Structure formats: C-alpha cells, structure tokens
Amino acid sequence: MVIFIILTVFIAGLMVGRTPEYLGKKVEAFEIQMAIIAILAPAFVILIFSAWAAVSNTGLSGLHNAGPHGLSELLYAFSSAAGNNGSAFAGLNANTAFYNITLGLVCSSVVLVS
C-alpha cells in the first residue's frame, strides 16, 4: 500500500508541478525506481514461471486441457500464487512436485520483493 502511495504522490506532484513530498520527505528518483520494481516484479515472476511450465514436460503433464485453455490454467495458477490466493482452475493438477515447488517459489519471491 505504501508503494501505491509513493506512486500517487509522485504522479500528483508531476501534475501539480511541485516537488513530490510525503510526510515531509521528498520523494526522489530512488524511491520511484524501487516502487516501479516492486510493481513490475510480480508480473515478471508470473510470466517467467508460466513460460517455464509451458515449455517443460513436467509442467505440461499437469494440464488436463491443451491449447489456449491450458495456458489460461497455467497463468491463473501462477497469478493466484503471486497474489497469495492459492486457487487454480479445475483442469490443472497442481498437486505435483513441480507445481508445489514452482508455485511456492512464486509466492515467496513476490513476498520478498514487496
């Protein structure tokens, strides 16, 4: 939530034409760079692990549906893990060693970045 506050203060400061400040401190380039990394990191992690699952034999063996719906199952599973939700489509067999490890890595890496 603090990340979104920093971004909001920065954008509002740009719109008004003043130096952005939050709680009496100036919001500088380093804070904005770290906020952008924290915003983009979960999407990057989701896409990297989804791509890994889509090209590996162990990742594809857990799919029930092939084609676009299978890709949706992969993306939803990793997005759900990144959001710390833990749900998946019914067609994905996520109770395998590959998915248990990769979904856990996604969840923990997003928590570490935030």
Side-chain angles (χ1 to χ4, degrees), residues 53-69:
V55 297
S56 67
N57 290 332
T58 54
L60 292 175
S61 66
L63 291 177
H64 180 66
N65 300 309
H69 189 68

Side-chain angles (χ1 to χ4, degrees), residues 22-46:
Y22 181 63
L23 298 177
K25 305 237 180 194
K26 290 186 180 190
V27 178
E28 296 180 359
F30 179 75
E31 288 86 10
I32 297 303
Q33 290 171 352
M34 293 301 112
I36 294 298
I37 288 173
I39 295 281
L40 293 178
F44 182 72
V45 170
I46 290 166

Side-chain angles (χ1 to χ4, degrees), residues 11-18:
I11 292 171
L14 288 176
M15 290 175 17
V16 172
R18 296 187 51 174

Side-chain angles (χ1 to χ4, degrees), residues 2-3 6 13 27-28 43-45 48 51-52 55 58 63-64 70 72 78 80 83 91 93 96 106 114:
V2 173
I3 294 167
I6 289 173
V27 178
E28 296 180 359
F44 182 72
V45 170
I48 292 298
W52 182 22
V55 297
T58 54
L63 291 177
H64 180 66
S72 298
F78 287 105
S80 175
N93 182 15
T96 61
V106 167
S114 302

